[in-house]
Amino acid sequence: MGHENVTEFILLGLFTDENSKVACFVLFLLCYIAILSGNLLVLLTIRGSRLSEQPMYFFLSYLSLMDVCFTSTVAPKLITDLLAQQKTISYNSCMAQMFSAHFFGATEIFILVAMAYDHYAAICRPLHYMVIMNRQVCYVLVMASAMGAFSHSIMQVLIIIGLPFCGPNQIDHYFCDVFPLLKLACTDTRLWVIAIITTTGVLSILTFVALVISYVIILSTLRTCSSEGRRKALFTCSSHITVIFMFFFPLIFTCAPTTDSVGKDKVFALFYTIIAPMFNPLIYTLRNTDMKSAMRKLWGRDKLSEGK
């Protein structure tokens, strides 16, 4: 089997309209700069302050790192291809991009699950919280997230590597992904499409449902809390729920392709590759007093006043 005589693919990109390409180049470049600066600011603020001692911020720093890595596997190629004449990608680079995107994306999903577990422990089991969520448990959850993501990603790559590519090599997408590649294979891939929809799609839906149920339990527990405790917990949970919806909704639609789904897939993919990673730092910092005060201490006015 293997990839027969196809040594490179052509990425058709997001649009075919030539007139909008320069405007989109500027827009996506600014988005990518915002993603890098926003997420790195969150990551460095947590790592450089006492916040890293708290499990919630420990996970949030890894979430920001995954956002940077995930977007960096897709955005640079998308941005440069908008102005390039030849939008080619070698077979090996295509496999590497697909593996990386799935690895960092899946790790992010598992970290979101770990954060939900942390919120559950903090709100529903407050007396045992420090025992349940000790530092060792936090590291185990991050390692388990990475290992789960690795097994998911390597499966996707192994499926594609086993297929013959001998004819058309134009990928109707702006990055290498499983479904657009399955369409190009010189063999009947309907069974693989069904297998991937049932594994990836069902896994995404089950994870999303589990997260929603966990937050229903958490929010119902909040009724017994004091008004101050309830307000703080609601702020924390609402941020997390917003991120979950922004990430999962487009992902679930992408994992359940219909007959004319490629155009929709590209738009939905924009949500979890560009839009969600750009808004995550804003969602987690704008209404979070701990983050804002840590940022001031580390980067801003407090440093200047200490210097005086």
Side-chain angles (χ1 to χ4, degrees):
M1 295 292 268
H3 58 96
E4 311 285 312
N5 58 358
V6 170
T7 56
E8 63 179 19
F9 294 104
I10 297 163
L11 291 163
L12 295 181
L14 201 53
F15 314 106
T16 48
D17 181 18
E18 291 293 325
N19 301 323
S20 61
K21 284 189 176 173
V22 176
C24 287
F25 173 82
V26 174
L27 176 67
F28 287 129
L29 183 62
L30 290 173
C31 287
Y32 186 49
I33 292 164
I35 289 163
L36 290 182
S37 49
N39 283 290
L40 288 172
L41 181 66
V42 169
L43 177 64
L44 295 171
T45 300
I46 293 168
R47 292 297 166 90
S49 69
R50 299 288 300 274
L51 288 178
S52 61
E53 294 166 14
Q54 297 177 42
M56 185 183 108
Y57 295 104
F58 173 84
F59 291 126
L60 182 54
S61 69
Y62 278 100
L63 193 74
S64 292
L65 179 64
M66 289 307 108
D67 271 338
V68 168
C69 296
F70 181 44
T71 308
S72 295
T73 62
V74 175
K77 182 79 179 141
L78 162 66
I79 292 161
T80 52
D81 276 358
L82 283 165
L83 297 185
Q85 292 300 310
Q86 278 293 89
K87 300 167 189 175
T88 57
I89 184 167
S90 72
Y91 180 89
N92 290 341
S93 299
C94 189
M95 295 304 112
Q97 188 187 48
M98 187 174 70
F99 174 83
S100 305
H102 277 267
F103 175 73
F104 294 124
T107 306
E108 187 161 340
I109 288 170
F110 293 133
I111 288 172
L112 286 170
V113 173
M115 288 174 86
Y117 177 66
D118 172 59
H119 291 158
Y120 169 79
I123 293 162
C124 301
R125 308 284 299 280
L127 299 177
H128 305 102
Y129 178 65
M130 294 316 291
V131 178
I132 295 169
M133 295 305 295
N134 62 54
R135 187 41 53 101
Q136 195 176 354
V137 170
C138 293
Y139 277 119
V140 166
L141 286 171
V142 169
M143 284 301 294
S145 299
M147 284 161 68
F150 180 84
S151 56
H152 159 78
S153 311
I154 207 77
M155 282 295 292
Q156 310 288 314
V157 173
L158 289 173
I159 288 167
I160 299 298
I161 284 175
L163 296 173
F165 293 94
C166 48
N169 67 339
Q170 293 189 329
I171 299 172
D172 191 7
H173 215 305
Y174 59 88
F175 70 98
C176 289
D177 203 6
V178 178
F179 290 122
L181 282 167
L182 284 172
K183 285 194 170 84
L184 298 182
C186 307
T187 185
D188 187 2
T189 58
R190 278 175 300 183
L191 277 175
W192 283 121
V193 170
I194 293 163
I196 290 167
I197 290 168
T198 47
T199 53
T200 310
V202 170
L203 205 84
S204 299
I205 293 163
L206 285 177
T207 309
F208 178 69
V209 169
L211 286 168
V212 169
I213 290 167
S214 73
Y215 278 105
V216 168
I217 295 164
I218 288 166
L219 295 173
S220 64
T221 308
L222 285 178
R223 288 182 302 183
T224 59
C225 296
S226 65
S227 58
E228 177 59 33
R230 193 185 304 137
R231 194 176 60 81
K232 195 172 179 185
L234 273 171
F235 270 152
T236 306
C237 291
S238 62
S239 302
H240 197 61
I241 292 164
T242 309
V243 169
I244 287 166
F245 272 87
M246 277 180 70
F247 197 86
F248 272 93
F249 261 35
L251 186 70
I252 288 166
F253 281 113
T254 310
C255 287
T258 51
T259 47
D260 62 336
S261 67
V262 174
K264 294 203 293 287
D265 279 0
K266 288 196 271 192
V267 176
F268 284 132
L270 262 188
F271 269 88
Y272 60 82
T273 55
I274 306 284
I275 296 165
M278 187 167 65
F279 282 102
N280 281 0
L282 291 173
I283 292 164
Y284 281 115
T285 56
L286 279 180
R287 295 163 68 188
N288 189 315
T289 48
D290 292 342
M291 275 296 289
K292 285 193 279 196
S293 64
M295 279 178 177
R296 276 198 296 272
K297 271 189 192 139
L298 206 61
W299 310 104
R301 292 193 290 272
D302 294 17
K303 267 252 162 78
L304 294 171
S305 57
E306 281 170 26
K308 290 174 187 174

